[in-house]
């Protein structure tokens, strides 16, 4: 696992299931999820956007980043 920089708030313009334009405003975890899914749509891979110096194992992550909740 590794850290990925993410905005805490996002505003996304999209189309709903009926083709109608919608604007979604999201904060915190929901904003993070939207950014993750939009990365998939743009073909971005985790390994391309992670902060490489933070790469660690699941076991070592809490020791190296005790206050972190920002992992993808």
């Amino acid at each position: 696992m590794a850290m990925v920089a993410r905005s805490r708030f996002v505003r996304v313009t999209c189309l709903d299931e009926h083709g109608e334009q919608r604007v979604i405003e999201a904060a915190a975890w929901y904003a993070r999820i939207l950014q993750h899914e939009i990365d998939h749509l743009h073909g971005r891979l985790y390994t391309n956007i992670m902060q490489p110096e933070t790469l660690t194992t699941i076991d070592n992550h809490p020791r190296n980043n005790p206050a972190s909740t920002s992992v993808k």
Side-chain angles (χ1 to χ4, degrees):
M1 65 181 7
M3 305 294 286
V4 174
R6 297 284 188 201
S7 297
R8 294 183 188 273
F9 176 85
V10 294
R11 181 178 293 123
V12 177
T13 303
C14 60
L15 301 177
D16 68 13
E17 67 273 15
H18 305 291
E20 300 294 326
Q21 185 171 314
R22 285 186 59 196
V23 175
I24 300 171
E25 293 185 349
W29 190 244
Y30 187 29
R32 192 167 185 78
I33 291 168
L34 284 176
Q35 291 169 85
H36 171 86
E37 296 306 330
I38 290 168
D39 283 344
H40 287 307
L41 294 173
H42 290 171
R44 289 187 202 113
L45 300 176
Y46 172 71
T47 54
N48 298 126
I49 59 175
M50 70 179 196
Q51 298 170 2
E53 67 278 5
T54 66
L55 185 62
T56 187
T57 65
I58 292 173
D59 292 334
N60 284 329
H61 180 74
R63 285 185 286 230
N64 298 333
N65 304 286
S68 171
T69 58
S70 301
V71 257
K72 184 174 180 185

